[in-house]
Amino acid sequence: MKSFIIKIFIFSLPVFSFIGVGEYLLFRYKENIPVTSVIAGQLNRKRESYYSRYFFDSSPTLYKLGMAEEKKADILVAGRSTVLGFRAEMFHPFEDEFYNIGFATVTVADLQAVVNLIRNKKLHKPKIMIIGFDAPIFKSGPLDHYDRVNTPHEDEVYNLKLHFLAYQLLARQLYSKDRLPVNPDTQLGFGYLGDSGVGFRKDGSRLEAVAIQQSIDHPGYYNSILVNSALKNKISPFDEPFKMNDKLISSFLNILAELKKSGIRPIIFFPPVSDDFYSKIQKEPEFRTFFESYLSLQNTFTRMGYDIIRFKTPKDLGLKDSYMLNGTHSGDLVTGKLWLDFLTSKPQSGILAGIDTSYVNKLITSKNATPLSLMTDTLVFPKK
Amino acid sequence: MTFNSPEFIVFLLVVFVVYWLFGRNVKIQNLIILIASYIFYSWWSVKFLLLIVTCSLIDFFFSFRIYNSKKYKLLFLCMSISLNLGVLFYFKYLNFFIKSLSNGLNFFGVNNSLHPIDVLLPIGISFFTFQTLGYSIDIYRGRIKPTTNIFVFLNFTSFFAQILAGPIERASQLMPQFSIKREFSYPLAVEGLRQILYGLFKKMVVADKVGDYVNYIYFTYKSRSSLELLLGTFFFYIQIYADFSGYSDIAIGTGKLLGFNLSTNFRTPLFARTAPEAWSRWHITLTQWFRDYVYKPLLLTNKESTIWRIICILIVFFLIGLWHGANSTFLVFGLLHGSYFIPSILAKRHPVLKRIFRKLKTDRYLSIVSIIFVFTVASMTTTFFRSPDIGFALSYLRRLFGFNGVGLDPIIFRMTIYLAAFMAWEWLLKDKEFQFDIKFFPKPVKFACYYIVVFAILIWGHFADPSFIYFHF
């Protein structure tokens, strides 16, 4: 039996080598680092440290809630990917009190789940909660009751089968015409190779390095083809029916009321869209009506006494569409300006009163800043 | 944990080492296998493991009652059968029954509020049930004596190598192997590994890959040419063969690694020349089960009648269809296969037909023609197996026979070439116990084959969706 095992072991050496090389390459990509280690790595280093997730899912819920648990932030940003432009610097000197869990909370049910975690003391209770949901979230759809927070999820790094799938993709590079990118720069990840990748910073905001580099190399507005076509062809997230879902709005209002009651100040953010996309909305009568109903929520919330960061387009801010990442996602400067306008629109109290608005203003008017980036941490530098 | 998962490789390695290192006597060996089997099954569901253990214990108890009782032998057998079929009916057929009853009542204008119940199907239940039924019936017939060793019986009902999808073993075949100490045999272990390797190849490289193409063709069948639809049926026939025979190879290979000889379940059925031959090579243990426990007893009531013989065959294939699943598509699939037996049954009485069938077996060219014919008909019949309902299957076949051209998507053509290569390999080794029995190859060629198969699995193997088609049955 022993000789059998020894022979099998020797026979398997090429297989082990294949696995070894695969794991080594995944390590070089900083791909096979578990989410818990990513969190520890990001929290323990002063500088930003990015990790990649090209082959494995970046498990945003695991990652973001894990980070939020560790950061115990007093200023929490929640919502869809449209809130990812809120960065810690915009809350100076309270950078350490800030965390953005955007993208881990993509539905009202997700938001409710986060509020439940706070209520049950499983998540630190913040003082301020900025919540940003774009229009499609308030219409009926398959994701209405989808709650990512409570849906069982695994860190895919621990899924052996996916390791083998990753080796296959790596091995196919030897003969495939469709080469993988040299760096895993096109997928969402924690972005170890953040100079060309897309990744979350330690404050939870997202570094869009590819778009930033593109906007530096070829200034202009490029990235709206997908959203424009989705709107035109009525595909997700702009799919029918274009009708406000009263149940969702009612749940959202209950969440706001619960937050207020528990001493958390909610600020509702209405994410901007590009002027180009806004003009496309005007040409789609059904969606336009729906979008107007969505915008009318601003007045409803204001009447109910909630703080609102109002919907604007770049033009309203004196900017161009080139300051938008795409039709529905703002760059750092647009988000920064909207935030600054909100802060200076009326006297603030509590932690917000302590925010150094002149510092925020300096950031967004800095010479280093580019349309999409404040350039405070990114590894992308203008080619001068 | 499926046979084609990395977890199973680790599990098997641990069991193998522990089993041969510590299995000093038959009791310890059986205990190790029993623990391993229960761990393996509880990986799927602890709840259903309890069901299987409970049913096993009840069957164990009934086996003595059946054996010892003189007056109530038949009663105890009926009780045992009722229990096993009752469990199977509840989990597998109750919803089908409720749905059919509701549809029937609606048809006659009777409003009803019958709704399917929320029940999960325990994996491997059909295989487990048939194995234990066979045990009870064999005791009743006096072919075997009930075992007094509970560990032997529990191992017989739950051996992890074959609990999920067979082979459906007979007690007379498997139980004696649990009663004696297994000695490690180097050639048997190597053969087991070879068979596992080929099983993995068939499942992960052939079945799962071709499965993607089958889905592609079936999902877009309305825009496909007749040639593509015909290839779609061929692909699916090969897919289920590679999937299930791949599974069986891994099961039998695993048995060999632990010193067991499990029954052969497939013998190149794709190259059968007649329908009966195809079924004597496809899922052999199930076919034999139905032959011995259903067909033969039925036939005995009127052995001389050709009509009765045909009816018996149709009953058996109706049940085989039903065994596959609670859906009318499987019933049609079964009945069609049953009807393919009619010419061979008639041939027993008609000299002309008899001569034709004999010629099919002896004439080389006629053999090839009949292989192609049987393969084509069997492939087309699998349309019912693959389709969600009869309407879909008929619509697919109508389009196939609508002769909508011979256009061929290049990717379907490419897959056809790959599958032709696979079939050619199977043809070359068709007389072997399994089609990777290459011990007679020169050593360098043999090792080259091993590494080609291993790296084909690593590079092209399907790791994403691990389930086997027959797990649903």
Side-chain angles (χ1 to χ4, degrees):
Chain A
M1 205 267 281
K2 274 179 195 159
S3 78
F4 176 75
I5 289 182
I6 291 167
K7 280 181 185 172
I8 294 301
F9 179 76
I10 294 168
F11 173 81
S12 306
L13 282 177
V15 179
F16 295 144
S17 312
F18 177 83
I19 294 169
V21 170
E23 278 307 311
Y24 168 71
L25 289 172
L26 290 179
F27 181 73
R28 265 195 62 195
Y29 272 68
K30 292 288 173 202
E31 180 81 21
N32 51 7
I33 315 287
V35 169
T36 45
S37 305
V38 170
I39 292 171
Q42 288 197 324
L43 292 174
N44 292 338
R45 287 191 201 103
K46 256 198 157 179
R47 284 187 59 198
E48 289 289 355
S49 49
Y50 299 102
Y51 298 81
S52 159
R53 283 293 167 112
Y54 181 82
F55 301 104
F56 307 133
D57 184 73
S58 58
S59 319
T61 317
L62 270 182
Y63 166 70
K64 286 262 172 144
L65 291 179
M67 280 293 267
E69 217 174 301
E70 295 293 326
K71 296 266 297 197
K72 304 200 185 317
D74 282 337
I75 304 166
L76 195 67
V77 179
R80 307 247 289 179
S81 57
T82 42
V83 300
L84 289 170
F86 281 100
R87 297 179 51 181
E89 287 92 329
M90 296 173 189
F91 297 79
H92 181 78
F94 302 112
E95 284 94 336
D96 291 342
E97 320 297 325
F98 172 90
Y99 192 67
N100 189 332
I101 56 167
F103 204 65
T105 43
V106 294
T107 63
V108 175
D110 278 340
L111 184 66
Q112 180 66 63
V114 166
V115 172
N116 293 347
L117 288 177
I118 293 170
R119 191 202 304 129
N120 298 331
K121 298 196 167 97
K122 286 182 179 162
L123 206 61
H124 174 73
K125 184 174 142 189
K127 288 178 177 142
I128 306 281
M129 204 160 164
I130 299 173
I131 303 161
F133 280 144
D134 28 331
I137 208 67
F138 289 112
K139 64 184 179 62
S140 300
L143 293 178
D144 282 0
H145 305 289
Y146 181 56
D147 158 11
R148 280 216 294 212
V149 175
N150 287 318
T151 306
H153 37 246
E154 60 162 358
D155 184 353
E156 289 193 346
V157 163
Y158 296 117
N159 188 327
L160 273 178
K161 279 181 219 109
L162 294 176
H163 280 251
F164 281 91
L165 277 175
Y167 308 153
Q168 290 186 338
L169 285 170
L170 288 165
R172 283 178 199 167
Q173 296 303 292
L174 297 173
Y175 63 87
S176 171
K177 280 182 199 164
D178 307 317
R179 292 288 164 111
L180 286 173
V182 178
N183 295 325
D185 57 0
T186 53
Q187 297 283 314
L188 178 70
F190 312 115
Y192 170 74
L193 298 157
D195 53 338
S196 57
V198 180
F200 291 115
R201 299 182 184 94
K202 61 167 87 173
D203 65 2
S205 65
R206 191 156 76 185
L207 169 65
E208 296 277 359
V210 180
I212 295 168
Q213 187 65 62
Q214 190 190 22
S215 78
I216 292 166
D217 295 344
H218 310 285
Y221 173 65
Y222 301 101
N223 301 323
S224 266
I225 299 162
L226 282 178
V227 276
N228 287 351
S229 129
L231 177 65
K232 196 172 177 188
N233 299 312
K234 294 178 181 165
I235 49 176
S236 181
F238 308 110
D239 47 346
E240 291 175 300
F242 299 130
K243 194 172 176 290
M244 296 295 275
N245 183 333
D246 293 338
K247 274 190 185 167
L248 281 179
I249 294 169
S250 156
S251 306
F252 188 68
L253 285 172
N254 287 340
I255 293 171
L256 294 180
E258 186 181 343
L259 289 174
K260 208 170 179 180
K261 205 173 154 192
S262 62
I264 301 169
R265 181 179 164 191
I267 299 171
I268 305 129
F269 172 58
F270 283 77
V273 300
S274 70
D275 285 289
D276 170 59
F277 187 64
Y278 192 58
S279 71
K280 298 279 186 305
I281 291 175
Q282 306 307 313
K283 288 173 192 160
E284 300 290 334
E286 284 176 67
F287 188 77
R288 189 187 64 206
T289 313
F290 165 73
F291 195 73
E292 278 164 4
S293 317
Y294 161 73
L295 290 183
S296 71
L297 286 175
Q298 295 181 113
N299 298 333
T300 313
F301 293 154
T302 311
R303 270 200 305 276
M304 294 172 87
Y306 293 113
D307 289 318
I308 303 290
I309 302 175
R310 297 194 82 87
F311 170 80
K312 281 176 184 165
T313 66
K315 203 173 164 185
D316 300 329
L317 297 166
L319 300 172
K320 292 179 186 165
D321 275 351
S322 55
Y323 285 72
M324 294 289 288
L325 275 165
N326 56 37
T328 52
H329 290 76
S330 50
D332 287 1
L333 266 68
V334 171
T335 315
K337 260 185 169 286
L338 284 167
W339 177 234
L340 195 60
D341 283 358
F342 170 80
L343 283 177
T344 52
S345 62
K346 64 175 183 181
Q348 298 294 341
S349 58
I351 196 168
L352 294 190
I355 292 178
D356 184 350
T357 51
S358 63
Y359 180 87
V360 181
N361 191 39
K362 216 161 84 187
L363 273 179
I364 57 180
T365 52
S366 155
K367 270 185 192 173
N368 277 340
T370 70
L372 297 185
S373 168
L374 298 174
M375 302 302 282
T376 51
D377 68 315
T378 177
L379 301 172
V380 181
F381 293 101
K383 287 176 187 167
K384 285 182 182 168
Chain B
M1 181 164 47
T2 51
F3 280 177
N4 53 337
S5 64
E7 289 89 339
F8 180 73
I9 306 290
V10 176
F11 171 82
L12 183 58
L13 187 73
V14 172
V15 172
F16 178 81
V17 171
V18 171
Y19 178 75
W20 288 119
L21 217 58
F22 300 103
R24 279 182 299 246
N25 60 47
V26 65
K27 278 184 186 167
I28 298 175
Q29 284 184 335
N30 285 349
L31 187 66
I32 292 169
I33 289 188
L34 190 64
I35 292 169
S37 298
Y38 286 170
I39 291 173
F40 179 76
Y41 198 84
S42 54
W43 211 282
W44 291 98
S45 164
V46 177
K47 197 170 71 183
F48 290 142
L49 172 68
L50 291 177
L51 174 81
I52 281 184
V53 175
T54 311
C55 287
S56 303
L57 291 173
I58 294 172
D59 279 325
F60 184 69
F61 162 79
F62 270 120
S63 65
F64 293 106
R65 294 280 166 173
I66 295 167
Y67 185 73
N68 293 326
S69 172
K70 280 180 184 155
K71 253 184 167 177
Y72 302 111
K73 228 177 187 31
L74 186 62
L75 177 71
F76 285 121
L77 175 70
C78 289
M79 283 166 79
S80 169
I81 291 175
S82 307
L83 169 83
N84 285 298
L85 290 184
V87 170
L88 186 65
F89 178 81
Y90 174 76
F91 285 105
K92 195 167 174 176
Y93 301 106
L94 185 59
N95 277 336
F96 177 61
F97 176 75
I98 291 174
K99 242 163 79 181
S100 306
L101 187 65
S102 172
N103 289 343
L105 290 172
N106 284 337
F107 182 77
F108 289 107
V110 181
N111 283 332
N112 65 85
S113 54
L114 293 170
H115 293 296
I117 57 164
D118 190 18
V119 62
L120 281 175
L121 182 69
I123 198 161
I125 189 161
S126 306
F127 296 92
F128 162 83
T129 307
F130 274 49
Q131 194 156 305
T132 49
L133 277 179
Y135 175 71
S136 301
I137 297 169
D138 282 350
I139 290 173
Y140 172 78
R141 287 176 175 177
R143 288 193 181 154
I144 53 166
K145 285 182 182 174
T147 177
T148 49
N149 187 329
I150 183 83
F151 285 109
V152 169
F153 185 74
L154 291 177
N155 268 318
F156 167 68
T157 55
S158 62
F159 186 22
F160 73 90
Q162 43 93 238
I163 188 173
L164 298 184
I168 301 167
E169 292 294 342
R170 300 295 175 83
S172 56
Q173 206 310 94
L174 187 57
M175 269 190 183
Q177 297 187 55
F178 277 111
S179 307
I180 49 164
K181 184 176 183 274
R182 277 78 64 185
E183 299 292 344
F184 179 77
S185 154
Y186 182 87
L188 190 67
V190 172
E191 196 172 291
L193 272 187
R194 216 181 276 135
Q195 201 158 356
I196 289 173
L197 199 58
Y198 192 55
L200 287 173
F201 175 82
K202 277 199 279 190
K203 166 65 184 160
M204 296 170 77
V205 181
V206 181
D208 288 344
K209 283 284 162 194
V210 75
D212 291 340
Y213 289 79
V214 171
N215 292 341
Y216 174 56
I217 294 170
Y218 270 75
F219 288 146
T220 58
Y221 80 97
K222 284 183 178 162
S223 57
R224 298 264 146 229
S225 72
S226 290
L227 177 62
E228 287 172 331
L229 295 181
L230 180 66
L231 288 173
T233 64
F234 289 173
F235 285 8
F236 183 60
Y237 190 33
I238 296 171
Q239 184 197 351
I240 48 174
Y241 163 70
D243 188 282
F244 193 23
S245 70
Y247 169 86
S248 297
D249 278 340
I250 302 169
I252 295 166
T254 302
K256 283 178 181 168
L257 275 181
L258 302 173
F260 290 91
N261 269 311
L262 298 181
S263 306
T264 303
N265 222 10
F266 287 85
R267 217 175 276 127
T268 55
L270 305 186
F271 305 130
R273 289 161 296 189
T274 60
E277 191 185 326
W279 277 96
S280 67
R281 292 158 165 236
W282 178 284
H283 202 174
I284 298 167
T285 54
L286 178 76
T287 319
Q288 286 178 347
W289 195 98
F290 273 103
R291 183 197 62 196
D292 294 346
Y293 299 117
V294 183
Y295 179 70
K296 280 185 177 173
L298 273 177
L299 194 63
L300 279 178
T301 56
N302 190 357
K303 214 174 168 183
E304 299 307 312
S305 163
T306 303
I307 299 287
W308 180 240
R309 198 176 276 267
I310 291 171
I311 291 171
C312 290
I313 275 289
L314 289 176
I315 291 171
V316 164
F317 274 91
F318 174 83
L319 293 175
I320 286 183
L322 197 63
W323 179 88
H324 279 88
N327 193 332
S328 47
T329 50
F330 290 118
L331 298 182
V332 174
F333 166 80
L335 286 171
L336 279 174
H337 273 287
S339 66
Y340 304 150
F341 275 63
I342 295 173
S344 2
I345 295 172
L346 294 176
K348 289 188 193 300
R349 296 282 165 91
H350 295 82
V352 181
L353 271 174
K354 205 173 195 170
R355 263 205 304 279
I356 293 173
F357 272 94
R358 198 174 302 140
K359 198 105 174 131
L360 286 180
K361 288 180 182 168
T362 50
D363 186 294
R364 206 176 156 192
Y365 297 106
L366 264 182
S367 276
I368 291 170
V369 171
S370 57
I371 286 171
I372 294 169
F373 179 74
V374 170
F375 179 82
T376 307
V377 173
S379 297
M380 285 179 179
T381 311
T382 59
T383 309
F384 289 95
F385 195 104
R386 172 64 180 73
S387 298
D389 53 62
I390 292 175
F392 183 99
L394 290 176
S395 167
Y396 185 100
L397 291 172
R398 211 174 293 131
R399 191 165 170 85
L400 195 162
F401 288 109
F403 301 107
N404 297 307
V406 287
L408 194 54
D409 189 328
I411 62 162
I412 297 177
F413 174 71
R414 215 163 37 218
M415 180 45 74
T416 310
I417 301 292
Y418 294 151
L419 290 180
F422 167 69
M423 296 275 280
W425 174 269
E426 290 259 310
W427 177 264
L428 285 174
L429 296 172
K430 66 179 187 306
D431 298 325
K432 300 284 169 195
E433 187 200 336
F434 60 97
Q435 285 58 58
F436 202 57
D437 189 3
I438 54 172
K439 54 179 172 282
F440 59 91
F441 278 19
K443 216 171 183 179
V445 181
K446 200 160 57 181
F447 274 82
C449 287
Y450 293 156
Y451 280 118
I452 287 170
V453 167
V454 167
F455 278 94
I457 293 168
L458 288 174
I459 295 170
W460 293 297
H462 215 289
F463 283 92
D465 177 19
S467 74
F468 286 84
I469 293 173
Y470 269 70
F471 279 8
H472 305 294
F473 308 143

